[in-house]
Amino acid sequence: MTKYIINGGNVLHGDVRVSGAKNAILPVLSATLINKGITRITNCPDISDVRITAGILKDLGCKVNLIKKKEGNIIEVDATNIEKTTIGSEKARLCRSSITFLGAITARSKEAEVAFPGGCIIGDRPIDIHESLLREMGIETTRNDSAIKTKLYRTDCNVENDKHVYLKFPSVGATENALMAAAGLTESVTVYGAATEPEIVCLGNYLQKLGVKIQGLGTGCIKIRGLKEYKKDIVTFKIIPDRIEAATFLISAAGIGDNIKIHGCETSHCLEVINVLKRMGTRIKEHKYTQDGEAINFLEISETSVTKRLNSPGIIIADAYPAFPTDAQSLILPLLSVSKGETFVIDKIFPKRFKAADELSKMNADITNTDFGIHIRGRKHLTGNKVQSHDLRGGAAMVIAGLLAKGQTIVYDKEYIKRGYDGISEKLRALGADITESQNLS
Ligand code: EPZ
């Protein structure tokens, strides 16, 4: 358990760089199993979910090497020899993305057994869409009380020319499994109702580097044609920046920053968060140019709460991309709590993902839980208190609340925050925040 000790009120200044995206690196690490060779991934965040996933790859027989670099870490996976096709619950339950090994191992070895995944407790997290899409591809799936198994029987009768798979909901993880499982089939597969998140496009771009033919990435209809096998001696691949980390710094800056510059993020991935912050009264400008041959891009945010009280955006509806992301919903609650006016927040992805709201109420926030979402009445300020982190983004939301609050906030966190943020305390301290970490829980 880590406690984050934050003395609020320091105005943040300066520059911060966004790391590689957690929700992009994790499925790409699963997909490295498809290549019977080495994959060298750059811009890899050093977060605990990456280390957990690296541990799973090693268990399966891969050699994995994480090289820390100032300009962005490199993780190298040598998947030339795989020794097994099963992942037990001891590892699988450590993160949600372990489920994406199902498609990757099936593509490589034509069978897999993966224990049910873990993940943040933010609502129901079934895997029925994963199962149905695999079956629609002609891959047999069976379940026991702890794991899901796949088996691909090759018979002429089930090698139709073209398979059609329909997702009842644009599930991110299920779409990732669909792309990887289809990579292991030689007939073409069309996925309808696919997720369109940037992380899906990132995974698809990696698979294309291996030789998979993919059309429609970023749309709801993706067509994939795989190869019999993949053997690229070495593939290098760069992970996209983390749009949720970018949102974390944009929101923190909106709340207590003075002309903060956020480097390395992809503006087009953060448009709805930027739109909401602009609606609240901030000014956000994208700077993109080359200097001495190097591409420079950063977002500059000004006209923040430091100079005036921001306005409520009225309503926020978290939904599938490109809507306002569910992962940024908890993060913006502290800012809404000190803005002028009332806001209603609905989360159509995880309708009950509001544990952060309960903790904010301990910090003088005026928040009401309703059957459909939460109703926030803005107050002049938050007051520091001792609060709990119930999940990754809820924990980050408590850190943001501590930055904005008067007095001291202590966030008790069961290592959720380190699952998805590479050095959040160091980055915030570099901007002038008074934040320290301690393992001493007294
Ligand atoms: C991914 O989770 C992300 N995690 C989550 O980020 C993110 O919140 C979520 O996508 C939505 O954007 C990773 O990428 C590792 P889903 P995932 O399948 O794939 C329902 C974070 O903080 N559903 O798109 O598990 C499900 O109940 C984490 O970084 C089914 O009904 O999300 C939910 O209501 C938290 N059946 C909705 O779909 C299924 O088989 C979205 O889930 C699968 C999902």
Side-chain angles (χ1 to χ4, degrees):
M1 168 95 92
T2 297
K3 69 181 183 184
Y4 294 80
I5 304 147
I6 306 152
N7 291 304
N10 285 19
V11 175
L12 307 183
H13 298 277
D15 299 60
V16 65
R17 177 165 291 279
V18 166
S19 300
K22 166 179 97 77
N23 292 346
I25 180 71
L26 297 177
V28 169
L29 283 172
S30 299
T32 59
L33 287 172
I34 297 172
N35 177 32
K36 291 183 178 177
I38 295 173
T39 298
R40 182 171 295 139
I41 304 169
T42 59
N43 201 30
C44 174
D46 186 4
I47 54 178
S48 52
D49 272 11
V50 163
R51 292 177 182 270
I52 288 165
T53 306
I56 293 174
L57 287 167
K58 286 178 187 166
D59 274 1
L60 294 170
C62 299
K63 297 189 193 83
V64 184
N65 189 13
L66 178 63
I67 307 150
K68 297 276 286 181
K69 287 219 177 235
K70 197 168 171 318
E71 64 275 19
N73 308 319
I74 297 171
I75 188 164
E76 206 170 79
V77 180
D78 182 347
T80 310
N81 301 304
I82 303 296
E83 289 152 11
K84 61 184 200 177
T85 61
T86 60
I87 300 174
S89 57
E90 188 200 336
K91 297 270 186 184
R93 63 179 172 75
L94 295 176
C95 61
R96 172 72 182 180
S97 58
S98 56
I99 191 67
T100 60
F101 278 102
L102 200 60
I105 298 172
T106 307
R108 170 71 180 257
S109 308
K110 313 310 173 199
E111 62 182 3
E113 178 173 344
V114 177
F116 297 137
C120 285
I121 302 165
I122 51 178
D124 290 344
R125 307 199 77 183
I127 57 170
D128 57 318
I129 301 175
H130 297 250
E131 284 179 292
S132 54
L133 71 88
L134 292 168
R135 281 199 295 273
E136 286 172 32
M137 285 187 195
I139 296 168
E140 182 195 80
T141 68
T142 52
R143 267 187 190 227
N144 55 35
D145 57 3
S146 63
I148 177 169
K149 294 168 87 167
T150 62
K151 180 85 178 156
L152 176 62
Y153 296 96
R154 287 326 293 167
T155 57
D156 290 347
C157 68
N158 76 355
V159 183
E160 295 130 33
N161 293 331
D162 194 354
K163 293 187 188 290
H164 298 274
V165 173
Y166 301 88
L167 304 193
K168 70 176 182 182
F169 182 87
S171 156
V172 170
T175 303
E176 289 161 352
N177 257 332
L179 289 180
M180 288 189 266
L185 302 177
T186 47
E187 63 274 30
S188 89
V189 175
T190 303
V191 182
Y192 298 94
T196 65
E197 274 72 1
E199 292 77 25
I200 302 289
V201 177
C202 185
L203 173 63
N205 292 158
Y206 170 70
L207 292 171
Q208 286 170 325
K209 274 208 146 183
L210 298 187
V212 186
K213 298 281 177 268
I214 307 179
Q215 295 165 316
L217 282 173
T219 75
C221 177
I222 304 177
K223 190 163 190 170
I224 309 114
R225 180 180 285 279
L227 303 175
K228 264 199 181 314
E229 74 162 8
Y230 301 87
K231 193 166 172 30
K232 297 265 184 185
D233 288 345
I234 184 148
V235 172
T236 56
F237 187 71
K238 183 173 184 182
I239 291 296
I240 59 171
D242 194 317
R243 62 193 170 100
I244 306 302
E245 187 187 18
T248 307
F249 288 114
L250 281 166
I251 292 165
S252 302
I256 195 142
D258 181 17
N259 286 323
I260 297 273
K261 294 184 182 68
I262 300 163
H263 294 260
C265 57
E266 177 46 62
T267 308
S268 64
H269 295 168
C270 312
L271 290 180
E272 197 41 40
V273 170
I274 291 170
N275 289 341
V276 165
L277 293 175
K278 283 182 174 173
R279 249 187 15 240
M280 294 178 75
T282 65
R283 186 166 173 275
I284 300 176
K285 191 171 179 324
E286 180 185 31
H287 298 262
K288 216 166 191 164
Y289 54 89
T290 47
Q291 190 173 44
D292 306 333
E294 190 199 342
I296 307 280
N297 79 299
F298 60 88
L299 288 175
E300 183 172 20
I301 176 166
S302 55
E303 296 181 36
T304 66
S305 305
V306 171
T307 51
K308 64 187 178 186
R309 199 166 167 216
L310 298 179
N311 300 313
S312 156
I315 185 165
I316 290 180
I317 301 175
D319 204 344
Y321 189 84
F324 191 91
T326 175
D327 292 345
Q329 175 261 101
S330 304
L331 303 173
I332 201 164
L333 298 185
L335 187 63
L336 300 175
S337 302
V338 295
S339 300
K340 218 175 340 183
E342 304 187 24
T343 315
F344 200 66
V345 182
I346 297 169
D347 191 325
K348 294 175 76 174
I349 305 292
F350 296 108
K352 299 291 175 207
R353 187 179 190 171
F354 292 118
K355 287 202 184 115
D358 301 339
E359 295 302 315
L360 280 170
S361 302
K362 299 174 188 170
M363 298 177 71
N364 186 44
D366 182 348
I367 291 187
T368 312
N369 255 304
T370 77
D371 290 344
F372 310 104
I374 51 166
H375 178 192
I376 298 178
R377 292 177 187 81
R379 284 193 163 154
K380 285 258 185 347
H381 64 80
L382 293 172
T383 310
N385 202 342
K386 291 180 179 178
V387 288
Q388 295 296 327
S389 152
H390 294 283
D391 55 68
L392 163 56
R393 307 303 173 182
M398 292 300 103
V399 169
I400 294 174
L403 297 174
L404 309 189
K406 286 184 188 303
Q408 186 175 80
T409 298
I410 296 182
V411 182
Y412 293 94
D413 174 57
K414 296 189 190 79
E415 306 312 322
Y416 291 117
I417 296 173
K418 287 184 167 53
R419 292 185 49 179
Y421 288 92
D422 187 349
I424 191 168
S425 298
E426 292 77 1
K427 289 177 179 174
L428 288 170
R429 249 196 318 275
L431 291 174
D434 179 350
I435 177 172
T436 51
E437 294 181 23
S438 164
Q439 310 301 322
N440 167 7
L441 302 182
S442 56

